[in-house]
Amino acid sequence: MELTLNSSSSLIKRKDTKSSRNHESSSNMSFAKMKPPTYQFQAKSSVKEMKFTHEKTFKPEGEEATERWEKLHVLSYPHPKNDSSVPVFVMLPLDTVTMSGHLNKPRAMNASLMALKGAGVEGVMVDAWWGLVEKDGPMNYNWEGYAELIQMVQKHGLKLQVVMSFHQCGGNVGDSCSIPLPPWVLEEISKNPDLVYTDKSGRRNPEYISLGCDSVPVLRGRTPIQVYSDFMRSFRERFDHYIGGVIAEIQVGMGPCGELRYPSYPESNGTWRFPGIGEFQCYDKYMRSSLQAYAESVGKTNWGTSGPHDAGEYKNLPEDTEFFRRDGTWNSEYGKFFMEWYSGKLLEHGDKLLASAKGVFQGTGAKLSGKVAGIHWHYNTRSHAAELTAGYYNTRNHDGYLPIAKMFNKHGIVLNFTCMEMKDGEQPEHANCSPEGLVKQVQSATRQAGTELAGENALERYDSSAFGQVVATNRSDSGNGLTAFTYLRMNKRLFEGQNWQQLVEFVKKMKEGGGDGRRRQLSEEDTTGSDLYVGFVRKSRKVEEASLV
């Protein structure tokens, strides 16, 4: 099924902006009202060393449970190892559900979903914000806006990826809306600022609860892991009949921007600027206590008093520091000690959250996934400084992604990786970037670990070069192909003529496993009901323009 837009489409244009995972335009959306197609869409109903092994496939007990398992499993989007077809999803706007708990711009959303279905996409992705759903008090959940969205997605015969977003929205360049952590959580943070990540200068980052207190009952008698588990359990109970069907995937947020990492490069208030190395986030009292205990356990008590003193500042380059320079402290006995602890804590955090998610959603038929950040700057240096401060112990002589891939595989979780659209040649020389090399390394790590790999683009891109890079990555023999790809993000620009055509072509190529395929132009009189044709409207047909505010 192919969808085309001609250049005379009446969709409103806006100026180009770049975006990261949490970036979105808040501009109003405008669509042409069209007579519906003659058919209807139908919905298918520890730190020293962590060892990870394969687990047995879950099988429910009892005839009724088995029947439900088989039914829901079939409805999840399949991707056998020998099938090169890759389903494409599209991220919805960050403010898809409003702070009042309602679906935002439902008429525009309905028209957009209709267009996306016609373009052949598998489905859409939405953030289920902790700060929105549980804002009225502990264990007081409001899922109503999401219920409305799920029903609309189902009506159009699409699938849904839902992100359990335990981080705040806002504070990064390009963010168009602000959704802080729940007010009752912010109240606890005001009483105990060490609940959030802290750098060596004492700056606090309220984007995500510090993993240092994962197992401490600091949130009104519950640990953060318990709070996340209760949130996910509430989601399952509310949408049990949809999970495994229209809700095909649940992604578990594990840090800032939903990624398994430390907030080492915060963009708010100009703290960090690309391609700065970032800073270690280990100075809240819970992280300091853990570091001290680890130092004592290995007989290096004097190493446990603080993080590295020579690691520079957020905007520095590696050679500006003693720690990250070519033959710096990172490669010393102390550097290895610190990075084993720092990255090990991140692995522990991911292990706990993924285990919790598996316990909640196992048997529903939905895929489970988690996201790892594509930190590609300074990848071509020995120390890989930006990756180290984010918690990925990846250097010239230490593989930081294989342990992560093994941890994901232990729980049967799909590893979702970003920056799939980037090319080395597009990056500034002084940043020593290699997104292509990084992606190949992650592909190799997931193949070795037996872990499924999915992808995203890191920035808003509409050009054939970016789409072509994703197709080439999927076809690469260097490691795993993709089980799914999620495009960032749905907004007005996506529906503009040339941008839309690029997306349609990309979706088709991914379905064909990266083959070129032949593009079929729809006729002016498309009355077969087999294609949804948006953009061309016969002159004899009266069109009413709907501006949705």
Side-chain angles (χ1 to χ4, degrees), residues 281-482:
Q281 306 292 307
C282 58
Y283 293 89
D284 63 79
K285 68 181 182 182
Y286 303 101
M287 291 292 283
R288 293 201 312 267
S289 177
S290 173
L291 176 58
Q292 186 65 59
Y294 181 65
E296 292 176 358
S297 73
V298 297
K300 300 288 186 179
T301 303
N302 59 317
W303 284 354
T305 56
S306 72
H309 67 278
D310 56 354
E313 299 179 349
Y314 288 105
K315 299 176 184 178
N316 285 157
L317 299 180
E319 293 303 313
D320 297 333
T321 75
E322 290 296 316
F323 191 90
F324 296 114
R325 62 181 174 83
R326 182 180 175 87
D327 297 309
T329 313
W330 64 272
N331 203 30
S332 68
E333 185 182 358
Y334 167 76
K336 296 173 183 177
F337 152 85
F338 177 78
M339 285 311 307
E340 285 172 0
W341 167 78
Y342 190 68
S343 64
K345 289 293 290 184
L346 190 66
L347 277 171
E348 284 184 3
H349 176 66
D351 189 46
K352 290 174 184 176
L353 254 176
L354 294 184
S356 173
K358 186 172 70 171
V360 172
F361 295 112
Q362 192 171 43
T364 63
K367 281 181 175 285
L368 291 179
S369 67
K371 190 160 70 168
V372 176
I375 301 176
H376 56 86
W377 52 104
H378 306 306
Y379 184 85
N380 280 334
T381 65
R382 289 190 174 190
S383 67
H384 293 234
E387 292 165 84
L388 297 190
T389 56
Y392 304 149
Y393 188 8
N394 193 53
T395 67
R396 181 68 57 87
N397 46 30
H398 190 280
D399 188 341
Y401 298 101
L402 184 56
I404 295 174
K406 288 182 177 179
M407 184 264 287
F408 273 69
N409 182 66
K410 171 188 175 182
H411 300 292
I413 309 292
V414 178
L415 192 157
N416 187 20
F417 197 69
T418 62
C419 77
M420 290 282 178
E421 85 286 11
M422 294 183 173
K423 295 182 178 180
D424 290 2
E426 299 170 339
Q427 312 305 319
E429 186 174 347
H430 73 286
N432 287 297
C433 299
S434 183
E436 294 180 60
L438 176 58
V439 168
K440 287 180 181 178
Q441 183 180 353
V442 172
Q443 283 185 289
S444 177
T446 52
R447 173 180 280 184
Q448 290 180 62
T451 306
E452 287 187 86
L453 176 67
E456 292 180 5
N457 50 309
L459 302 176
E460 246 181 55
R461 295 281 293 272
Y462 308 96
D463 55 287
S464 59
S465 177
F467 285 129
Q469 181 63 22
V470 177
V471 172
T473 295
N474 181 55
R475 298 177 65 187
S476 171
D477 294 329
S478 63
N480 265 4
L482 304 178

Side-chain angles (χ1 to χ4, degrees), residues 137-365:
M139 304 187 78
N140 186 352
Y141 308 102
N142 178 7
W143 295 107
E144 296 316 303
Y146 293 97
E148 188 177 351
L149 174 67
I150 290 168
Q151 291 164 6
M152 188 179 290
V153 169
Q154 183 183 51
K155 179 186 73 173
H156 289 290
L158 294 167
K159 302 288 186 171
L160 187 64
Q161 298 170 317
V162 183
V163 185
M164 302 287 104
S165 295
F166 300 115
H167 61 286
Q168 79 167 14
C169 174
N172 290 314
V173 172
D175 282 356
S176 62
C177 66
S178 176
I179 306 174
L181 301 186
W184 63 273
V185 174
L186 295 178
E187 183 180 336
E188 296 305 310
I189 293 172
S190 68
K191 293 185 288 187
N192 181 7
D194 284 291
L195 292 181
V196 297
Y197 288 115
T198 308
D199 64 20
K200 64 183 178 182
S201 301
R203 282 173 289 201
R204 311 283 188 177
N205 189 327
E207 186 175 354
Y208 189 80
I209 299 293
S210 170
L211 61 80
C213 58
D214 270 353
S215 301
V216 185
V218 293
L219 297 178
R220 300 193 181 180
R222 292 185 295 164
T223 69
I225 296 295
Q226 288 174 331
V227 171
Y228 304 148
S229 299
D230 289 338
F231 182 93
M232 291 187 286
R233 191 173 297 108
S234 172
F235 179 81
R236 174 172 178 171
E237 292 171 355
R238 179 64 176 82
F239 300 113
D240 186 53
H241 295 297
Y242 296 97
I243 300 175
V246 58
I247 301 175
E249 179 181 329
I250 296 163
Q251 187 174 113
V252 186
M254 294 180 282
C257 292
E259 299 164 336
L260 179 64
R261 65 172 176 87
Y262 295 98
S264 57
Y265 50 101
E267 295 175 313
S268 61
N269 302 319
T271 302
W272 170 87
R273 183 178 62 241
F274 178 86
I277 57 177
E279 290 190 18
F280 293 114
Q281 306 292 307
C282 58
Y283 293 89
D284 63 79
K285 68 181 182 182
Y286 303 101
M287 291 292 283
R288 293 201 312 267
S289 177
S290 173
L291 176 58
Q292 186 65 59
Y294 181 65
E296 292 176 358
S297 73
V298 297
K300 300 288 186 179
T301 303
N302 59 317
W303 284 354
T305 56
S306 72
H309 67 278
D310 56 354
E313 299 179 349
Y314 288 105
K315 299 176 184 178
N316 285 157
L317 299 180
E319 293 303 313
D320 297 333
T321 75
E322 290 296 316
F323 191 90
F324 296 114
R325 62 181 174 83
R326 182 180 175 87
D327 297 309
T329 313
W330 64 272
N331 203 30
S332 68
E333 185 182 358
Y334 167 76
K336 296 173 183 177
F337 152 85
F338 177 78
M339 285 311 307
E340 285 172 0
W341 167 78
Y342 190 68
S343 64
K345 289 293 290 184
L346 190 66
L347 277 171
E348 284 184 3
H349 176 66
D351 189 46
K352 290 174 184 176
L353 254 176
L354 294 184
S356 173
K358 186 172 70 171
V360 172
F361 295 112
Q362 192 171 43
T364 63

